[in-house]
């Protein structure tokens, strides 16, 4: 991610330019095209982590209020973080991630 988060950033995984803001999130931290992120926060929006590793989307889950979250795991330090889906996240990628998880735990035959 670029140092100036207000102007957006370039995705660490696919290289796409990512706008700083989207409906549904105050702290944009992942690419809406591939869902990858970078380990920059300790708490949402603080940009205080020194790790900077690429964070792979590993699962999605629904909070009790129905909000959909993407779980990311850092490829450098192994930290797992939950991040809000943004309004412009690619629905096909989100569904593929959910499908992959369902297959892995045997929810689909």
């Amino acid at each position: 991610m670029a140092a100036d988060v207000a102007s957006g950033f370039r995705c660490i995984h696919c290289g796409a330019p990512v706008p700083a803001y989207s409906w549904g999130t105050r702290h944009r931290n992942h690419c809406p095209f591939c869902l990858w992120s970078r380990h920059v926060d300790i708490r949402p929006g603080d940009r205080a982590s020194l790790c900077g590793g690429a964070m792979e989307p590993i699962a999605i889950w629904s909070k009790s209020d129905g909000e959909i979250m993407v779980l990311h795991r850092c490829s450098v330090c192994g930290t797992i973080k939950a991040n809000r889906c943004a309004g412009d996240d690619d629905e096909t990628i989100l569904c593929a991630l959910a499908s992959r998880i369902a297959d892995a735990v045997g929810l689909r035959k």
Side-chain angles (χ1 to χ4, degrees), residues 29-49:
N29 66 347
H30 65 270
C31 175
F33 308 107
C34 70
L35 302 181
W36 281 68
S37 185
R38 182 176 273 189
H39 192 181
V40 296
D41 291 347
I42 294 172
R43 293 192 178 110
D46 68 8
R47 306 305 191 235
S49 175

Side-chain angles (χ1 to χ4, degrees), residues 68-84:
I68 304 296
M69 307 289 283
V70 177
L71 295 180
H72 290 97
R73 180 178 43 227
C74 182
S75 60
V76 172
C77 70
T79 295
I80 295 177
K81 295 276 190 179
N83 299 291
R84 286 182 155 168

Side-chain angles (χ1 to χ4, degrees), residues 1-2 7-19 31 38:
M1 285 185 193
S7 64
F9 58 90
R10 188 158 298 280
C11 177
I12 192 171
H13 182 72
C14 73
V18 178
C31 175
R38 182 176 273 189

Side-chain angles (χ1 to χ4, degrees), residues 23 60-69 84-85:
W23 178 84
I60 62 170
W61 66 285
S62 178
K63 292 172 41 176
S64 60
D65 65 2
E67 181 177 18
I68 304 296
M69 307 289 283
R84 286 182 155 168
C85 286

